[in-house]
Amino acid sequence: ANSLQHNTTLTKLWLEGNKFKEVGLKSFLKLLNDISSIERTYNSNHTLTTLKLPNFMNSESADMSECIDSFVKINAQYDAPGKVKVIKTQLDSIKRKEICHLQGIDYTYNSLFTKIDAVFLPDIISLAGRKHGQNEVFLMLIARAPDLASIVNKKTALRERMANITAQICALNEAHALQVAALGAKIFAIKNELALTEAGGGTELMVDPSLPSSAKKLKRDKSDTF
């Protein structure tokens, strides 16, 4: 079974005449749906569409065989079997607990989200509610409340950072405009001084066209006093 973990070509396998122990059956169950996390279920074998194994008499082995048959059918019937397995087994707490027991994995709700970015939690919880009812939403909220709170806090912090940066940009633009105006005034003064020098020391002054009319009049009045 382990050799088929990354198989993408073998679709049919008949092992009915082979001697099997329960550990071998458990290996095929884990191959088709590793229930230890959402990521591992999604990355399980979805290629086998026919798998024939020996019949087992005890109830637990019969339960494993039933689960194996159901996962093989999912592989055969759906275009996205990994997603279907996640929805049917990982997001259903009762089914997940059952498969954890069959695979010998300790069942905890927190392990469901191993390696899942907290940003995706709202979508996962919403999907669980749509597929399996509000009870699953309640269980997930209890288990992941701190992570959901951190998402809200993170969004608030990011918005505040954006607002601060925007304010800094506005302040820089305003300061830049003032600096440009001051440098423009210096250039105009130099041009005015140059024009007076070229005119042989005359008293006619150039008036900055950007100045208000009162300022222009004041400059002309001062030139008349020379």
Side-chain angles (χ1 to χ4, degrees):
N2 292 334
S3 63
L4 298 174
Q5 182 65 46
H6 304 293
N7 163 61
T8 57
T9 56
L10 183 64
T11 60
K12 298 180 181 181
L13 186 61
W14 285 268
L15 298 171
E16 290 171 301
N18 290 264
K19 290 184 178 180
F20 256 77
K21 292 183 178 181
E22 189 174 289
V23 64
L25 197 61
K26 188 179 296 184
S27 295
F28 272 101
L29 177 59
K30 190 171 182 179
L31 169 73
L32 291 163
N33 186 353
D34 186 343
I35 202 69
S36 59
S37 71
I38 288 177
E39 181 183 32
R40 290 185 178 179
T41 288
Y42 190 79
N43 292 322
S44 295
N45 181 290
H46 310 309
T47 306
L48 281 173
T49 56
T50 300
L51 178 60
K52 299 298 182 181
L53 299 173
N55 292 323
F56 289 84
M57 300 305 294
N58 68 74
S59 60
E60 186 164 304
S61 295
D63 289 341
M64 281 194 273
S65 295
E66 184 179 341
C67 285
I68 288 172
D69 289 342
S70 69
F71 299 145
V72 169
K73 287 179 181 178
I74 289 174
N75 286 353
Q77 294 175 1
Y78 292 91
D79 293 330
K83 181 179 179 181
V84 174
K85 289 177 187 177
V86 168
I87 293 172
K88 287 182 175 292
T89 61
Q90 290 285 1
L91 302 186
D92 182 342
S93 59
I94 296 175
K95 191 67 177 177
R96 182 168 179 266
K97 188 174 183 178
E98 174 190 336
I99 299 173
C100 281
H101 171 71
L102 293 175
Q103 293 187 10
I105 296 172
D106 290 335
Y107 173 82
T108 64
Y109 225 103
N110 286 338
S111 66
L112 171 64
F113 302 100
T114 301
K115 295 184 179 180
I116 298 295
D117 193 319
V119 173
F120 298 114
L121 286 179
D123 292 333
I124 294 173
I125 293 173
S126 175
L127 180 61
R130 293 198 304 273
K131 297 296 183 179
H132 303 295
Q134 295 304 307
N135 185 57
E136 290 298 331
V137 173
F138 178 71
L139 292 173
M140 287 186 178
L141 287 174
I142 291 175
R144 309 312 293 177
D147 289 327
L148 292 169
S150 70
I151 295 172
V152 175
N153 293 337
K154 185 176 181 180
K155 287 181 178 179
T156 301
L158 289 174
R159 290 192 182 99
E160 289 177 353
R161 284 179 59 190
M162 287 176 59
N164 289 336
I165 292 172
T166 301
Q168 291 176 30
I169 291 172
C170 292
L172 287 172
N173 286 338
E174 185 177 347
H176 179 261
L178 292 173
Q179 290 177 355
V180 169
L183 291 173
K186 288 182 179 180
I187 290 174
F188 188 83
I190 292 170
K191 286 182 178 180
N192 194 28
E193 186 176 352
L194 180 61
L196 288 173
T197 302
E198 290 175 346
T203 58
E204 182 65 26
L205 293 174
M206 294 174 63
V207 178
D208 188 342
S210 66
L211 293 173
S213 57
S214 58
K216 292 178 183 179
K217 182 177 183 302
L218 179 61
K219 283 204 168 197
R220 285 196 296 270
D221 290 344
K222 286 185 177 180
S223 66
D224 291 341
T225 62
F226 293 142

